[in-house]
Amino acid sequence: MTRMCWCRLCQYIAAGNATVNVVFPSDSITIKGELRDYPSVADSGNAMHRRFCPSCGTHLFSEAEARPNVIIVRAGTLDDTEIAKPVATIWTDAAPSWACMNESLPKFPGQPPTPAVAK
Ligand SMILES: [Zn+2]
């Protein structure tokens, strides 16, 4: 599943917009190469690890310590971005008044329930 996130940290990462995040089962992802980790506590209170390329700074992954079964992949880093069609918008209460949101998608004012991931 893919969700657009308007939390404040995502706005920093996405240069003022929402991030587009694809949820995968953690054991379905193989990572090669060096990553840097930006550990932080999210607006939800979750301890997070946001990992990025140490050469170019592109954000690649996000993981919550409370949800080790899933890994979030930044949709813009996928070779095929068409597989990342969003199904919801989250943290809408943190969005600026001018934010453009897809009105056909369900909105969550903050952190929604942990997504179930089919295998
Ligand atoms: Zn966010």
Side-chain angles (χ1 to χ4, degrees), residues 6 10 16 26 30 36 48 69 71-72 94 113 117:
W6 278 98
C10 282
S26 297
T30 300
R36 289 274 167 76
M48 302 293 298
N69 58 317
I71 184 169
I72 309 301
V117 177

Side-chain angles (χ1 to χ4, degrees), residues 31-108:
I31 298 170
K32 297 178 181 175
E34 184 184 355
L35 295 174
R36 289 274 167 76
D37 181 14
Y38 174 60
S40 64
V41 176
D43 292 346
S44 63
N46 287 325
M48 302 293 298
H49 295 273
R50 291 179 170 85
R51 303 185 207 283
F52 58 97
C53 172
S55 295
C56 71
T58 299
H59 277 258
L60 299 163
F61 308 107
S62 178
E63 295 171 274
E65 290 184 5
R67 297 187 300 272
N69 58 317
V70 297
I71 184 169
I72 309 301
V73 178
R74 304 297 182 198
T77 66
L78 297 170
D79 289 335
D80 180 3
T81 55
E82 288 299 322
I83 69 170
K85 187 176 178 183
V87 298
T89 307
I90 68 174
W91 285 97
T92 56
D93 277 3
S97 61
W98 48 260
C100 294
M101 295 186 199
N102 184 332
E103 295 301 323
S104 69
L105 299 180
K107 294 179 185 172
F108 296 87

